[in-house]
């Protein structure tokens, strides 16, 4: 992050604007919206600025900038078309530790203005750090369309009843849940539509019905997908943003984790093949402990929790202890890797079925129904097959699957390091030894792989 976004209070603070043209006028409007006490130094003014002077809303000194003009001000903006003046203003202000902005000259600024989405008191500042202002404006336009215009009204309603609600709940978490329900439900809609009286009535009714009892905990077993955060389901995203505790695995991508609620506690229980850092029993115990403590626990797993994810074992413990839970599916590695590599898992000309198998057993062996797997017209998807790839391909060839059957090995599917290695049953093990792909990897075997050349859109 090159700039730290901060919100500056200017209420009745003395601010100085050098320049009286149209850009200066825009800056004056912003400063006045923030209730600044504004002085403008400029030989001439736009009509709008002159009107403000006449109405006594700003002070004006009709002359050019001179030394020591910035002294005593809380914030300074230079919006002149004179480079020398702009540089002088910047130097003087910075040497006196006064925040200064010179319009369109980032090197002369100690702070920059973001693009603003204003739903006061909700205010959003968007900045590209000055490197892509058009993009920042596009982001702003997008947010403008997404956020209800009445958002500010809802925030004002919340401000009005903040203390009343605080007095009602001794339990802080219960209070947060109450507000979340209000903000996500019909009372928020009433407020967006400007029906403040009805919204207030609804809020007070909801408060009267809300009891101040510590909420029961719940576990959400969530599939985080194969890596690309945009592949999360809407439900997974919502639950992640409401979590108190997130217990996550090695396969959960950092980008997905970044979408979680900032205040949530994060517990890593990642397991590597040779290093079971947190035993399964301990993970089960953690889930129980936090849920019984009234927390909203997200157990976040890579891909889908019910696909080679031991999700079943984790919820069994919850059922035994009568802890509430929900399972939220994710996109499994097979779907993600296949789609992002242009390899359809079934195809009328190639494969009428698709089998998912694990290429790694508890004792490090690979023990599968080879006769079944070697049958034609099907696709095999092998999870955790990297170590056993030589054994897997030899066994399939022994059971008469042609040695030239195409094989794709996909590294870190759907992430920025997504890579596809194409080979065949005969050569895949040598190719893996030679290219040393990084885990996690997924193996797809079958003639559908031959479609990769034509259908790969993700180059
Ligand atoms: C313990 S399994 C978990 C599978 C997960 N529950 C799912 O539905 O994708 C881990 C294996 O999934 C595969 N895998 C998971 N994410 C992957 C990715 N982004 N790219 C390639 N393979 C992946 C690898 O074979 C890895 O060894």
């Amino acid at each position: 992050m090159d700039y730290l976004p901060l919100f500056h209070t200017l209420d009745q603070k003395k601010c100085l604007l050098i320049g009286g043209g149209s850009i200066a006028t825009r800056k004056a409007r912003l400063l006045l919206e923030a209730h600044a006490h504004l002085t403008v130094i400029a030989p001439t003014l736009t009509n709008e600025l002159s009107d403000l002077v006449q109405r006594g809303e700003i002070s004006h000194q009709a002359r050019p900038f001179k030394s020591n003009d910035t002294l005593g001000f809380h914030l300074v903006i230079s919006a002149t078309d004179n480079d020398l003046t702009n540089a002088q203003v910047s130097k003087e202000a910075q040497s006196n530790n006064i925040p200064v902005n010179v319009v369109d000259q980032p090197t002369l600024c100690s702070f920059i203005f973001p693009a603003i989405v204003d739903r006061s008191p909700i205010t959003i500042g968007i900045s590209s750090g000055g490197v892509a202002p058009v993009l920042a404006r596009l982001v702003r336009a997008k947010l403008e369309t997404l956020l209800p215009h009445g958002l500010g009204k809802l925030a004002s309603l919340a401000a009005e009843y903040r203390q009343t609600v605080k007095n009602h709940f001794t339990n802080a978490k219960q209070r947060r849940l109450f507000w979340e329900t209000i903000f996500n439900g019909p009372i928020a809609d009433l407020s967006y539509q400007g029906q403040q009286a009805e919204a207030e009535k609804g809020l007070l009714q909801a408060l009267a019905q809300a009891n101040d009892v510590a909420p029961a905990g719940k576990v959400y077993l969530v599939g985080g997908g194969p890596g690309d955060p945009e592949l999360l389901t809407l439900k997974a995203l919502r639950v992640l943003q409401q979590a108190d505790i997130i217990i996550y695995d090695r396969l959960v991508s950092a980008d997905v984790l970044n979408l979680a609620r900032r205040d949530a506690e994060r517990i890593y229980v990642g397991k590597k093949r040779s290093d079971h850092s947190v035993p399964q029993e301990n993970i089960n115990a953690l889930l129980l402990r936090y849920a019984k403590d009234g927390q909203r626990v997200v157990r976040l797993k890579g891909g889908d929790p019910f696909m080679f994810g031991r999700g079943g074992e984790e919820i069994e413990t919850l059922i035994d202890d009568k802890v509430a839970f929900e399972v939220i599916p994710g996109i499994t590695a097979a779907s993600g890797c296949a789609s992002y590599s242009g390899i359809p898992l079934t195809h009328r000309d190639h494969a009428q079925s698709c089998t998912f198998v694990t290429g790694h057993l508890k004792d490090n062996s690979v023990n599968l129904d080879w006769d079944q797997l070697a049958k034609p017209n099907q696709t095999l998807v092998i999870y955790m097959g990297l170590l056993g790839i030589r054994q897997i391909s030899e066994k399939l060839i022994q059971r008469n699957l042609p040695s030239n059957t195409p094989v794709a090995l996909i590294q870190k599917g759907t992430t920025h390091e997504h890579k596809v290695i194409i080979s065949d049953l005969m050569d895949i093990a040598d190719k893996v030894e030679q290219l040393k792909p990084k885990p996690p990897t997924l193996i797809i075997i079958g003639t559908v792989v031959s479609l990769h050349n034509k259908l790969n859109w993700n180059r």
Side-chain angles (χ1 to χ4, degrees):
M1 193 163 33
D2 291 331
Y3 291 85
L4 181 68
L6 299 168
F7 288 84
H8 206 121
T9 168
L10 292 182
D11 195 14
Q12 299 312 317
K13 295 266 165 54
K14 285 174 66 182
C15 296
L16 178 65
L17 180 60
I18 320 287
S22 57
I23 295 175
T25 308
R26 286 207 294 276
K27 297 297 180 203
R29 267 184 230 139
L30 270 181
L31 293 173
L32 290 178
E33 272 178 43
H35 314 293
H37 195 291
L38 183 59
T39 299
V40 179
I41 295 179
T44 56
L45 297 179
T46 59
N47 290 341
E48 186 176 334
L49 285 175
S50 299
D51 285 348
L52 289 168
V53 175
Q54 271 177 14
R55 292 205 301 269
E57 290 182 33
I58 58 177
S59 319
H60 177 220
Q61 297 179 25
R63 58 170 178 80
F65 173 79
K66 63 176 169 50
S67 294
N68 293 333
D69 269 348
T70 62
L71 295 184
F73 284 96
H74 189 79
L75 183 129
V76 173
I77 297 171
S78 190
T80 78
D81 50 12
N82 183 323
D83 287 346
L84 204 64
T85 304
N86 287 338
Q88 262 181 320
V89 174
S90 167
K91 194 168 167 208
E92 185 180 298
Q94 296 209 49
S95 66
N96 289 310
N97 293 322
I98 302 169
V100 60
N101 176 275
V102 178
V103 174
D104 285 342
Q105 298 201 39
T107 53
L108 296 181
C109 296
S110 67
F111 73 92
I112 55 176
F113 279 94
I116 296 170
V117 179
D118 186 6
R119 302 282 192 277
S120 291
I122 302 286
T123 319
I124 302 170
I126 303 140
S127 166
S128 66
V131 296
V134 177
L135 186 58
R137 276 204 298 279
L138 286 180
V139 173
R140 186 185 77 164
K142 207 160 208 170
L143 288 177
E144 288 282 9
T145 58
L146 284 178
L147 296 175
H149 275 269
L151 192 64
K153 290 195 187 99
L154 182 61
S156 304
L157 180 74
E160 204 177 321
Y161 286 95
R162 191 160 181 236
Q163 195 55 47
T164 315
V165 172
K166 208 168 178 180
N167 296 342
H168 185 91
F169 294 105
T170 48
N171 183 299
K173 189 181 306 152
Q174 188 70 339
R175 188 170 73 230
R176 177 160 57 79
L177 290 177
F178 173 80
W179 279 123
E180 280 176 10
T181 314
I182 296 293
F183 295 150
N184 283 316
I187 293 169
D189 290 337
L190 286 170
S191 188
Y192 294 152
Q193 289 151 20
Q195 300 180 32
Q196 282 309 83
E198 281 79 0
E200 273 186 56
K201 213 165 107 192
L203 188 142
L204 289 172
Q205 265 168 11
L207 191 62
Q209 283 159 15
N211 51 25
D212 185 19
V213 176
K218 187 167 176 179
V219 175
Y220 298 86
L221 187 57
V222 178
D228 181 347
E230 294 199 14
L231 294 181
L232 269 187
T233 63
L234 293 176
K235 198 166 187 183
L237 183 63
R238 178 169 57 73
V239 165
L240 271 175
Q241 291 184 347
Q242 294 173 347
D244 298 314
I245 313 271
I246 297 170
I247 299 179
Y248 68 101
D249 278 347
R250 185 174 57 100
L251 282 180
V252 172
S253 77
D255 288 341
V256 166
L257 214 51
N258 273 341
L259 295 172
R261 185 172 149 240
R262 297 251 170 234
D263 297 345
E265 185 184 336
R266 296 171 189 200
I267 302 172
Y268 176 68
V269 291
K271 285 175 264 186
K272 291 186 194 147
R273 207 170 20 235
S274 51
D275 158 33
H276 287 249
S277 47
V278 180
Q280 187 64 49
E281 310 80 73
N282 296 14
I283 297 177
N284 298 350
L286 272 181
L287 295 177
L288 278 181
R289 175 150 65 82
Y290 284 114
K292 286 186 165 173
D293 196 31
Q295 314 275 11
R296 276 185 293 190
V297 186
V298 167
R299 171 69 177 112
L300 184 60
K301 288 171 164 286
D304 181 89
F306 278 3
M307 182 69 92
F308 303 123
R310 305 184 77 171
E313 294 168 47
E314 292 181 6
I315 58 174
E316 254 176 63
T317 336
L318 300 174
I319 290 176
D320 292 345
D321 276 67
K322 298 189 171 42
V323 167
F325 68 89
E326 226 175 278
V327 183
I328 300 173
I331 290 186
T332 186
S335 290
C337 292
S339 298
Y340 277 49
S341 306
I343 301 174
L345 292 176
T346 63
H347 189 287
R348 282 192 296 175
D349 299 336
H350 294 272
Q352 282 72 55
S353 67
C354 175
T355 306
F356 300 141
V357 292
T358 166
H360 172 250
L361 294 185
K362 267 187 183 165
D363 59 359
N364 276 336
S365 68
V366 189
N367 188 11
L368 297 165
D369 181 351
W370 298 110
D371 286 325
Q372 182 62 32
L373 298 181
K375 287 194 175 139
N377 303 325
Q378 64 169 330
T379 304
L380 299 183
V381 176
I382 305 181
Y383 287 70
M384 295 167 277
L386 189 62
L387 277 192
I389 185 63
R390 190 170 292 281
Q391 203 186 339
I392 291 167
S393 43
E394 281 172 4
K395 292 270 189 198
L396 290 171
I397 294 172
Q398 277 167 19
R399 306 296 158 113
N400 297 328
L401 198 61
S403 60
N404 64 352
T405 304
V407 179
L409 185 136
I410 296 128
Q411 161 193 293
K412 299 194 172 190
T414 79
T415 71
H416 300 298
E417 292 176 83
H418 178 104
K419 193 169 152 194
V420 186
I421 297 171
I422 298 287
S423 184
D424 59 23
L425 274 184
M426 189 62 152
D427 289 334
I428 184 67
D430 289 344
K431 218 161 182 179
V432 162
E433 264 173 29
Q434 184 199 335
L435 297 174
K436 298 188 176 38
K438 293 187 217 151
T441 59
L442 189 94
I443 300 162
I444 303 179
I445 302 175
T447 59
V448 285
V449 171
S450 63
L451 298 167
H452 163 77
N453 259 347
K454 190 170 178 193
L455 302 185
N456 186 23
W457 54 271
N458 181 27
R459 291 172 205 277

